[in-house]
């Protein structure tokens, strides 16, 4: 029967076996470790992610600030497959979420909208499906949002027009529908950012609903 | 078992002739000696003489001696040898027929150590019954055993016989019982056994038989009992066994039989017992088994059976035992199993059964054991389970059950084991569980149970194990748990329990494990816990416990793990903890403990892990910590320690992790680290360590991470680092290192991060760095490095972070940095680059756009 309360995911550094239960009371480390368990890491990019360490700040591809809070996650071009989970929303101090050009699928968790300090979110070049979460409208610091080359569907949430700091926005090569927003920062984005979707062109305010054609 | 008729007359002509002559005159006997060269008595004595244990076995066979018949001595004209005249018929274990010929030899449990080679089978032409069981007979069964042509009962079981079963046993056509079980018989089952048409009972279990079961056994048409269990039999179960219409008991368990269960077994309508467990059987359970209406005990567990449980099993209404556990069975549990009113023991655990538990199982009121654990069962626990008043063992853990725990489970008054852990059960723990007076094991762990722990659990005075961990339980720990004097394991960890730890827990003097970690417990640690002299594991970590560590904990001399970390504990570490000589892991980190480390810690000779980091500890680190021969992890970082590091810290060469960073330590790197080949992770940064370390570090086969940055170290960087094959991080920044960067570091191909910044290094970047293809972070800034940035660095394509600023590099900006597609930080400023040509790649443009404002010193412009 249940003989031990914690089942730590097996880790390549097995000789540190005696370090359980995990010392890490650090919620950010736990969140990243939960993320790792969702990933298939074919090339061992995440090998250094030792859950028995007090914080994740010496893990590769993770960057912390002076207070040991995670501010960057750099896993672009890393041959990772799997999916994301709600736990990523616990990285409250995250500024850069770089997961571009991998093989990550499933839905984009709405909890990413909790990352209030996020400056850049690059999820392009994956297999994400489902809708662009409306919760992204809470990412008031966001300057770079690239979701291109995925399988996203539905319409572009109108709420994103409130992201006044947004400088780069790319949703090309998805399966989005409806019309393209024109308000706020969207007035500055080139049409290249929207091509190869089922979008029906810039919205004509007052004439058709934005999700027309969806 | 067939009764014996000792006075049966031998029907064979040979025997008849012998009979007549024996009656007429003893004098004729020598003429027959040509047919059997020794008499039966002589044969028995000769065999007895061959026993290895002549002295010890004799108690039972002590009357096996020559006693010439009085008639012989009185006989006139007696020319026969004395040998011919001794009759064994009155000897222990020997019976004869009216003619004085031996028909029965029963010398079981006589401690005989001998071989059957020495037994003259040919001397016993009338032998019908031979029982040599429970002795120490060894070596092979001789093929001559086939001379015993009258034999109907042969029992050689429970000996040490080995070798192959002689195929000639197949000649014993009169055999009705053949017992060869519990020997060391090997090789295959001779197909000739299929000729024994009279056989009723064949037992060959507990041997080393291999090969497959001969299809010829399908010819044993009178057989009622066939035991082949606990051998190494492989191959499939022959469908011909379906011909054995008289079979009552078939046991093929614990072999390596594969393939599927033959449908034809459904023809064995008299079968009451069928054991096929612990084989490699696959395929589905044939629905034809539902025809076996006499079945009482059916065990198919520990195979790879798949498919669903046939509802026809619900027709086996005489079943008392049904084991289908540890297969790959899927689908739902048929509600028809609720018809099996005689069932006492139902084990369906460790399969992939899904759907909800049929409420009809609540009809099985004779059940004492119900195991449904480790399946994918969902839905609620059926309310009808409150009827299972005979239940002693109930386990449904490791499923997907939801809903609440029924108060009616409190009616199962005979239950001793109740396991409901690892489900999705919610609601509160019913106070009625306190009625289950015989309960010894209660596990409700890893569910979503909420509310408080009922006081009534304190009535379960036979409880040895109470697991309530990993739920959402709140409220305080009831002081009534202090009544559970038999308790050995108490695990309430990972809940939201609050309040203080009841002092009454100090009464649980049989406890070996007390886990209260990861709750919201506050107050002080009761000094009464020092009464728990049997404790092996005490884990109170990750709470809000305050006050000081009670000195009484030092009385827990059997303790192996003491985890008090991540609380608000203050005060000093009691020197009494040095009395806990069994201690293997001591975790006091992340508290507000002050004062110094007790010198007595040097006496903890079993200590492997010592975590003291993240406290307010100060003073000198005891030099005798190096006496702890098994120390593998020593974490002292983030305290206020001063003085020297213990110089002998790796005397035992077992240290794997050593962290002492962010203290006020002075003095040299401990000498014992040089040959500490066990090292995996070392962090000594942020101290005032001083000394020339050119020669202080050796070559470490396992070393993964070392940081000695921000100290006062000097000398040259050792080329030894290049020979650490598993080194991924080398941080030597912020010291006073001089000289050039050794080219040998280019050999450490696992390096992901190299930080040599803020030193006094001179010379060029070795072109050998081009071999460090896994490099993610390279920091060489703040040195006196010069020359051209080597073109070879272009192969560091995984670089995310590159800082070469504040050096004397010249020539042109290395344009290949534009190809580093993962780069997010680049600083080349404060150098002497002549031409300023920025790379023009799309990625590099974005790098400028995206990260310049995020990093203060981005790209020199």
């Amino acid at each position: 029967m249940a003989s031990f309360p914690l089942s730590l995911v097996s880790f390549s550094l097995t000789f540190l076996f005696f370090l359980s239960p995990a010392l890490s009371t650090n919620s950010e480390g736990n969140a990243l470790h939960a993320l790792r368990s969702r990933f298939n890491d074919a090339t061992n990019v995440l090998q250094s992610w030792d859950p028995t360490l007090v914080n994740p700040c010496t893990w590769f591809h993770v960057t912390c600030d002076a207070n040991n809070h995670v501010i960057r996650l750099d896993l672009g071009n890393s041959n990772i497959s799997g999916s994301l989970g709600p736990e990523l929303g616990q990285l409250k101090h995250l500024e850069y979420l770089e997961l571009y050009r991998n093989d990550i699928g499933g839905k984009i968790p709405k909890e990413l909208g909790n990352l209030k300090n996020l400056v850049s979110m690059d999820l392009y070049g994956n297999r994400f499906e489902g809708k662009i979460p409306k919760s992204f409208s809470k990412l008031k610091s966001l300057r770079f949002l690239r979701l291109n080359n995925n399988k996203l569907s539905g319409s572009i949430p109108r709420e994103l027009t409130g992201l006044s700091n947004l400088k780069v926005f790319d949703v090309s090569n998805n399966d989005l529908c409806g019309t393209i927003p024109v308000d706020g920062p969207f007035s500055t984005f080139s049409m290249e950012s929207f091509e190869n979707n089922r979008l029906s062109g810039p919205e004509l305010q007052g004439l058709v609903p934005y999700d027309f054609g969806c | 078992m067939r009764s014996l008729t000792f006075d049966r007359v031998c029907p064979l002509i040979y025997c008849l002739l012998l009979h007549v002559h024996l009656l007429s005159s003893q004098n004729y006997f020598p003429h027959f000696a040509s047919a059997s060269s020794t008499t039966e008595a002589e044969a028995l004595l000769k065999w007895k003489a061959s026993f290895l244990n002549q002295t010890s076995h004799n108690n039972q066979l002590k009357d096996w001696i020559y006693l010439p018949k009085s008639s012989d001595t009185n006989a006139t004209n007696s020319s026969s040898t004395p040998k011919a005249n001794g009759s064994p018929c009155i000897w222990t274990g020997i019976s004869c027929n009216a003619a004085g010929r031996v028909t029965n030899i029963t010398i079981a449990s006589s401690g005989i150590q001998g071989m059957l080679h020495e037994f003259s089978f040919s001397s016993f032409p009338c032998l019908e019954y031979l029982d040599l069981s429970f002795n120490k007979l060894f070596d092979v069964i001789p093929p001559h055993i086939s001379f015993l042509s009258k034999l109907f009962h042969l029992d050689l079981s429970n000996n040490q016989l080995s070798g192959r079963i002689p195929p000639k046993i197949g000649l014993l056509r009169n055999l009705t019982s053949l017992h060869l079980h519990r020997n060391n018989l090997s090789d295959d089952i001779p197909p000739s056994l299929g000729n024994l048409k009279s056989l009723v009972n064949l037992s060959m279990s507990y041997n080393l038989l291999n090969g497959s079961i001969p299809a010829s056994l399908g010819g044993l048409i009178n057989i009622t009992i066939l035991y082949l269990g606990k051998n190494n039999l492989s191959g499939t179960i022959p469908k011909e066994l379906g011909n054995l219409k008289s079979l009552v008991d078939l046991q093929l368990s614990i072999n390596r039989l594969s393939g599927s269960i033959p449908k034809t077994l459904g023809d064995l309508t008299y079968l009451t017992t069928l054991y096929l467990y612990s084989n490699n059987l696959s395929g589905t359970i044939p629905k034809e088994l539902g025809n076996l209406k006499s079945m009482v005990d059916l065990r198919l567990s520990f195979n790879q059976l798949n498919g669903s449980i046939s509802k026809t099993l619900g027709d086996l209404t005489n079943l008392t035992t049904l084991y289908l556990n540890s297969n790959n069975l899927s689908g739902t549990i048929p509600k028809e199993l609720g018809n099996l009113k005689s069932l006492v023991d139902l084990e369906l655990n460790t399969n992939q059964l899904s759907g909800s538990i049929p409420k009809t199982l609540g009809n099985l009121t004779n059940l004492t054991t119900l195991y449904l654990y480790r399946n994918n069962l969902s839905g609620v626990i059926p309310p009808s389970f409150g009827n299972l008043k005979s239940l002693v063992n109930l386990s449904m853990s490791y499923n997907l059950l939801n809903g609440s725990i029924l108060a009616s489970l409190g009616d199962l008054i005979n239950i001793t084991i109740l396991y409901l852990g690892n489900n999705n059960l919610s609601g509160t723990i019913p106070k009625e569980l306190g009625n289950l007076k015989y309960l010894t094991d209660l596990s409700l762990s890893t569910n979503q149970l909420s509310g408080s722990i009922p006081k009534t659990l304190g009535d379960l005075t036979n409880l040895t194990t109470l697991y309530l961990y990993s739920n959402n339980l709140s409220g305080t720990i009831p002081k009534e748990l202090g009544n559970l004097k038999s308790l050995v394991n108490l695990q309430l960890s990972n809940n939201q329990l609050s309040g203080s730890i009841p002092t009454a827990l100090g009464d649980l003097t049989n406890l070996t494990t007390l886990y209260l970690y990861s709750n919201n417990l506050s107050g002080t640690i009761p000094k009464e816990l020092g009464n728990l002299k049997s404790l092996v594991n005490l884990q109170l970590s990750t709470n809000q416990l305050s006050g000081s560590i009670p000195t009484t904990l030092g009385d827990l001399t059997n303790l192996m793990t003491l985890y008090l970390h991540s609380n608000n504990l203050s005060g000093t570490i009691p020197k009494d903890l040095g009395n806990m000589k069994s201690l293997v892991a001591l975790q006091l980190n992340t508290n507000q403990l002050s004062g110094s480390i007790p010198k007595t810690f040097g006496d903890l000779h079993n200590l492997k892990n010592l975590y003291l980091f993240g406290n307010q500890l100060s003073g000198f680190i005891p030099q005798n910590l190096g006496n702890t021969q098994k120390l593998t992890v020593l974490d002292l970082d983030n305290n206020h320690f001063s003085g020297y590091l213990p110089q002998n810290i790796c005397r035992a060469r077992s240290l794997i992790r050593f962290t002492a960073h962010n203290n006020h330590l002075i003095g040299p790197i401990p000498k014992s680290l040089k040959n500490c080949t066990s090292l995996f992770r070392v962090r000594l940064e942020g101290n005032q360590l001083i000394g020339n370390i050119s020669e202080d570090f050796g070559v470490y086969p396992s070393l993964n991470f070392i940081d000695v940055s921000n100290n006062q170290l000097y000398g040259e960087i050792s080329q030894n680092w290049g020979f650490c094959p598993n080194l991924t991080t080398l941080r030597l920044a912020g010291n006073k290192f001089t000289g050039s960067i050794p080219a040998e570091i280019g050999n450490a191909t696992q390096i992901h991060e190299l930080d040599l910044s803020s030193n006094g290094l001179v010379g060029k970047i070795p072109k050998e760095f081009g071999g460090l293809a896994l490099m993610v972070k390279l920091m060489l800034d703040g040195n006196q490095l010069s020359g051209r940035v080597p073109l070879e660095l272009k192969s560091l394509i995984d670089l995310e972070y590159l800082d070469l600023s504040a050096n004397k590099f010249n020539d042109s900006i290395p344009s290949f940095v534009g190809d580093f597609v993962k780069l997010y930080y680049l600083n080349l400023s404060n150098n002497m680059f002549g031409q300023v040509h920025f790379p023009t790649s799309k990625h590099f443009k974005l790098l400028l756009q995206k990260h310049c404002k995020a990093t203060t010193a981005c790209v020199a412009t």
Side-chain angles (χ1 to χ4, degrees):
Chain A
M1 286 285 88
S3 58
F4 199 76
L6 293 180
S7 62
L8 291 177
V9 173
S10 69
F11 192 68
S12 57
L13 314 171
T14 45
F15 60 85
L16 292 174
F17 68 97
F18 214 88
L19 303 183
S20 56
L23 274 172
S24 178
T25 51
N26 179 304
S27 68
E28 296 178 13
N30 292 344
L32 287 173
H33 195 248
L35 178 68
R36 184 192 179 184
S37 68
R38 295 175 188 276
F39 282 161
N40 179 10
D41 175 22
T43 51
N44 270 334
V45 172
L46 308 178
Q47 193 170 17
S48 67
W49 288 24
D50 177 353
T52 68
L53 297 176
V54 178
N55 63 48
C57 300
T58 58
W59 298 358
F60 299 128
H61 317 296
V62 174
T63 306
C64 292
D65 63 11
N67 297 317
N68 290 333
H69 290 302
V70 176
I71 56 167
R72 296 191 65 102
L73 186 56
D74 287 282
L75 291 171
N77 283 310
S78 296
N79 287 318
I80 287 170
S81 58
S83 61
L84 304 182
E87 62 278 353
L88 265 183
Q90 294 169 29
L91 302 174
K92 303 283 186 203
H93 301 267
L94 200 65
E95 296 171 17
Y96 290 82
L97 177 59
E98 306 295 326
L99 300 175
Y100 56 88
R101 290 197 190 113
N102 283 296
D103 195 25
I104 306 170
K107 291 185 174 169
I108 300 174
K110 64 177 187 302
E111 289 79 3
L112 294 189
N114 300 335
L115 306 175
K116 300 254 167 53
N117 293 302
L118 211 57
V119 171
S120 165
M121 174 166 15
D122 279 336
L123 305 182
Y124 64 88
N126 280 291
R127 292 187 297 110
F128 287 111
E129 56 194 36
K131 295 185 173 182
I132 300 171
K134 283 195 179 72
S135 62
F136 281 9
S137 64
K138 297 188 286 182
L139 302 172
K140 298 297 184 193
S141 307
L142 201 62
R143 293 167 57 220
F144 304 89
L145 177 58
R146 290 186 291 178
L147 305 174
N148 49 296
N149 296 76
N150 279 294
K151 297 177 188 172
L152 296 168
S153 55
S155 56
I156 299 169
R158 277 314 177 265
E159 293 82 352
L160 299 189
T161 58
L163 297 178
S164 54
N165 287 313
L166 207 54
K167 295 287 183 290
V168 173
F169 181 82
D170 194 342
V171 291
S172 60
N173 299 302
N174 276 294
D175 196 24
L176 299 168
C177 56
T179 55
I180 299 169
V182 294
D183 292 336
F186 282 82
S187 62
T188 63
F189 303 143
S190 79
M191 289 313 290
E192 285 178 10
S193 299
F194 303 97
E195 64 192 14
N196 288 323
N197 279 290
R198 293 190 292 116
L199 294 163
S200 33
E203 68 182 340
L204 301 168
Q205 282 173 324
L207 294 178
V208 286
Y210 71 86
D211 53 357
F212 174 79
C214 269
Chain B
M1 200 69 62
R2 185 167 152 174
S3 70
L4 295 169
T5 49
F6 293 124
D7 53 352
R8 274 183 0 173
V9 173
C10 271
L12 261 192
I13 290 174
Y14 167 74
C15 275
L16 280 170
L17 282 172
L18 187 63
H19 198 179
V20 169
H21 284 286
L22 282 167
L23 286 171
S24 57
S25 167
Q26 294 285 339
N27 292 344
Y28 282 89
F29 186 75
H31 299 289
F32 288 94
S34 57
S36 78
S37 60
T38 58
T39 66
E40 293 175 326
E42 187 179 29
L44 289 170
L45 290 170
K46 183 180 169 221
W47 185 48
K48 182 188 171 190
S50 74
F51 296 167
L52 297 185
N53 50 341
Q54 288 298 320
T55 51
S56 60
H57 72 90
N58 292 347
N59 285 340
Q60 292 191 45
L61 301 184
K62 63 175 183 256
D63 62 348
W64 282 30
I65 49 171
Y66 283 117
L67 267 182
K69 282 179 185 173
S70 54
S71 60
D72 293 338
T73 50
N74 294 340
T76 56
N77 195 23
S78 174
S79 62
S80 61
T81 64
K83 284 181 183 177
N85 295 326
S87 168
C89 298
I90 57 167
W91 292 356
T92 298
I94 309 294
S95 304
C96 300
N97 59 15
R101 297 306 304 256
V102 173
T103 55
N104 181 319
I105 299 175
T106 302
I107 42 174
S109 306
S110 299
I112 298 171
Q113 257 184 298
M115 294 185 286
L116 291 171
H117 286 301
E118 307 293 336
F119 189 91
S120 176
F121 293 103
S122 59
S123 302
F124 300 93
C126 297
L127 194 63
E128 298 170 344
Y129 193 102
L130 177 59
D131 181 357
L132 303 177
S133 60
F134 293 97
N135 282 296
K136 290 173 183 165
L137 298 175
F138 60 96
D139 209 342
V140 299
I141 303 172
H144 299 314
I145 201 164
S146 63
F147 288 146
L148 304 174
S149 59
K150 295 285 109 26
L151 209 58
F152 67 84
H153 183 98
L154 175 58
D155 190 347
L156 301 176
S157 64
N158 292 285
N159 279 290
Q160 288 143 25
L161 296 167
S162 57
R164 191 185 184 205
I165 297 170
K168 286 193 168 176
I169 278 191
L171 297 173
L172 300 173
R173 300 296 174 99
N174 293 308
L175 270 186
T176 59
S177 295
L178 177 57
H179 298 295
L180 301 176
H181 55 275
R182 293 191 187 268
N183 278 291
N184 299 319
L185 297 167
S186 56
D187 296 293
D188 62 325
I189 298 173
S192 61
L193 292 188
N195 300 332
L196 301 173
K197 303 290 187 218
S198 305
L199 212 52
V200 174
N201 192 338
L202 174 57
S203 171
M204 301 194 286
S205 42
Y206 291 90
N207 277 294
L208 306 166
L209 299 171
N210 54 37
S212 54
I213 300 173
S216 65
L217 294 192
L220 303 174
I221 50 172
N222 289 305
I223 202 149
T224 62
I225 294 178
L226 178 56
Y227 292 164
L228 301 178
K230 189 70 176 71
N231 279 292
N232 293 319
L233 296 170
S234 54
T236 58
I237 300 174
K239 64 179 187 307
E240 289 80 359
L241 295 190
N243 302 335
L244 307 177
K245 297 289 191 286
S246 307
L247 260 186
V248 172
D249 191 345
L250 176 58
Q251 303 191 5
L252 307 179
S253 40
I254 320 183
N255 277 295
R256 291 184 287 126
L257 297 169
S258 55
S260 54
I261 300 174
K263 284 198 223 337
T264 56
L265 294 192
D267 301 336
L268 305 174
T269 49
Y270 293 109
L271 216 50
T272 63
T273 302
L274 176 59
Y275 289 176
L276 303 179
Y277 63 85
S278 297
N279 277 294
N280 298 321
L281 297 170
S282 54
T284 58
I285 301 173
K287 65 177 187 307
E288 289 78 2
L289 294 191
N291 302 334
L292 304 175
K293 300 288 191 289
S294 307
M295 190 67 78
V296 173
D297 190 348
L298 177 57
R299 305 187 185 188
L300 307 179
S301 41
F302 295 100
N303 279 293
Q304 280 108 51
L305 298 171
N306 54 35
S308 56
I309 300 175
S310 170
K311 67 180 183 209
T312 61
L313 293 188
D315 299 337
L316 307 179
T317 50
N318 290 305
L319 269 187
T320 62
T321 302
L322 178 58
Y323 291 170
L324 303 179
N325 55 291
S326 305
N327 279 293
N328 298 321
L329 297 170
S330 55
T332 58
I333 300 174
K335 65 178 187 303
E336 288 78 3
L337 294 191
N339 301 335
L340 306 175
K341 299 286 198 301
S342 306
L343 263 187
V344 173
D345 194 345
L346 176 58
E347 305 191 5
L348 306 178
N349 54 282
T350 321
N351 278 294
Q352 280 115 50
L353 298 169
S354 56
S356 56
I357 301 171
K359 62 176 185 291
T360 57
L361 295 192
N363 301 335
L364 305 175
T365 51
N366 290 308
L367 272 186
T368 63
T369 298
L370 176 58
Y371 287 163
L372 302 176
Y373 62 89
R374 289 194 190 270
N375 277 294
N376 299 318
L377 298 168
S378 54
V380 301
I381 302 171
S384 60
F385 273 28
N387 302 332
L388 301 173
K389 301 277 195 293
S390 304
L391 265 186
V392 176
N393 303 302
L394 175 59
S395 175
M396 301 193 282
S397 41
Y398 292 94
N399 278 294
L400 307 166
L401 299 173
N402 54 35
S404 57
I405 299 174
L406 306 168
S408 61
L409 291 188
D411 298 339
L412 308 178
I413 51 164
N414 290 304
I415 206 154
T416 65
I417 291 177
L418 178 57
Y419 289 150
L420 302 176
N422 293 79
N423 279 292
N424 297 321
L425 297 169
S426 55
T428 58
I429 301 173
K431 64 179 188 306
E432 288 80 2
L433 294 188
N435 300 336
L436 305 174
K437 298 287 188 282
Y438 298 115
L439 212 51
T440 62
D441 291 67
L442 176 59
S443 173
L444 307 177
S445 54
T446 318
N447 278 293
Q448 279 118 49
L449 298 170
S450 55
S452 55
I453 300 173
K455 288 185 179 62
T456 56
L457 295 190
D459 299 336
L460 302 172
T461 50
N462 287 305
L463 217 51
T464 61
T465 296
L466 178 57
Y467 288 166
L468 303 179
Y469 61 83
S470 299
N471 278 293
N472 299 319
L473 298 170
S474 54
T476 58
I477 300 173
K479 65 178 187 306
E480 288 78 3
L481 295 189
N483 301 334
L484 304 176
K485 299 288 192 289
S486 305
L487 213 52
V488 175
N489 287 299
L490 178 57
Q491 303 194 9
L492 307 178
S493 38
N494 281 316
N495 279 293
Q496 280 109 52
L497 297 170
S498 56
S500 54
I501 300 173
T503 55
L505 294 190
D507 299 336
L508 303 176
T509 50
N510 289 306
L511 271 189
T512 64
T513 298
L514 178 57
Y515 288 171
L516 303 178
Y517 61 84
S518 297
N519 277 293
N520 298 320
L521 298 169
S522 54
T524 58
I525 300 173
K527 65 179 187 309
E528 288 79 3
L529 295 189
N531 300 334
L532 305 177
K533 299 286 192 292
S534 304
L535 263 190
V536 175
N537 299 296
L538 177 57
Q539 305 193 3
L540 309 178
S541 43
T542 319
N543 279 293
Q544 281 116 50
L545 298 170
S546 55
S548 55
I549 300 172
T551 56
T552 55
L553 293 191
D555 299 337
L556 304 176
T557 50
N558 291 308
L559 214 56
M560 293 177 72
T561 62
L562 177 58
Y563 293 178
L564 303 178
H565 62 269
S566 305
N567 277 295
N568 298 317
L569 298 171
S570 55
T572 58
I573 302 173
K575 66 178 189 313
D576 313 69
L577 298 194
N579 299 335
M580 298 190 290
K581 297 288 190 283
S582 305
L583 211 55
V584 174
L586 177 58
Q587 303 190 177
L588 304 178
N589 55 282
T590 323
N591 279 294
Q592 277 108 51
L593 297 169
S594 55
S596 55
I597 301 175
K599 285 195 176 60
T600 55
F601 278 22
D603 301 331
L604 298 172
H605 292 297
N606 288 303
L607 200 61
K608 285 187 173 176
N609 294 357
L610 178 58
Y611 293 4
L612 299 175
F613 65 88
N615 279 294
Q616 313 288 331
L617 297 168
S618 57
F620 295 169
I621 299 165
Q623 292 292 315
N624 67 357
L625 269 188
N627 296 345
T628 53
Q629 292 285 322
K630 296 175 180 168
L631 203 61
T632 58
V633 180
L634 177 60
D635 284 350
L636 305 175
D637 54 275
N638 292 294
N639 279 293
H640 307 302
F641 289 121
S642 55
Y644 286 27
L645 286 164
Q647 294 300 300
N648 275 332
I649 199 61
C650 191
R651 198 174 66 173
R653 308 259 173 102
S654 56
L655 197 61
I656 289 173
R657 197 166 93 184
F658 179 35
T659 68
H661 52 286
N662 300 332
N663 278 293
H664 311 300
L665 297 164
I666 58 168
I669 301 287
K671 287 281 175 285
S672 64
L673 287 189
K674 180 156 187 172
N675 296 314
C676 190
T677 49
S678 51
L679 282 176
F680 178 80
R681 188 176 177 90
V682 178
R683 293 187 68 176
L684 302 175
E685 75 270 20
N687 283 292
Q688 284 104 50
L689 299 173
I690 194 161
N692 182 335
I693 66 160
S694 307
E695 308 288 332
D696 277 4
F697 290 100
V699 171
Y700 307 98
S702 305
L703 188 66
N704 175 270
F705 187 109
I706 185 162
D707 190 346
V708 296
S709 302
N710 301 319
N711 280 293
Q712 310 287 326
L713 303 169
Y714 56 88
E716 297 202 0
I717 293 174
S718 168
Q719 62 184 42
N720 282 346
W721 299 118
F723 301 102
C724 296
N726 289 301
L727 193 60
T728 65
T729 299
L730 175 60
R731 294 179 178 172
L732 305 175
N735 281 290
K736 295 171 180 171
F737 294 120
T738 51
S740 56
I741 302 172
E744 287 82 356
I745 288 182
N747 296 336
T749 54
Q750 290 300 310
I751 286 196
H752 287 60
E753 180 178 337
L754 179 61
D755 187 357
L756 305 179
S757 58
S758 303
N759 278 295
L761 300 171
V762 297
K764 296 181 175 180
I765 299 177
K767 65 182 188 307
E768 288 80 1
F769 275 24
L772 301 175
L774 299 177
M775 190 81 81
V776 170
K777 236 174 168 177
L778 178 58
M779 285 162 281
L780 302 176
D781 51 292
N783 280 292
Q784 308 289 320
L785 298 168
S786 58
R788 186 190 164 116
V789 176
L791 195 60
E792 286 79 2
L793 291 194
K794 75 174 190 297
S795 55
L796 308 188
I797 54 168
D798 283 337
L799 264 186
E800 295 171 6
Y801 193 108
L802 178 60
D803 194 342
L804 302 179
S805 64
N807 276 293
K808 295 176 178 171
F809 292 116
N810 53 28
D811 205 347
S812 57
I813 294 249
S815 62
F816 54 79
V817 298
D819 300 326
F820 293 160
V821 295
K822 297 182 179 181
L823 203 63
Y824 69 81
Y825 183 94
L826 175 64
N827 194 342
L828 303 175
S829 63
N830 295 309
N831 275 295
M832 298 156 73
F833 292 117
Q835 295 171 286
V836 179
H837 285 307
F838 288 116
T840 54
S841 73
K842 186 182 170 191
H843 175 82
F844 195 78
K845 283 179 186 165
L846 194 94
L847 174 77
L848 291 177
Q849 182 187 15
K850 187 163 157 182
H851 299 286
C852 270
K853 286 184 185 170
T855 57
T856 50
C858 191
V859 174
T861 51

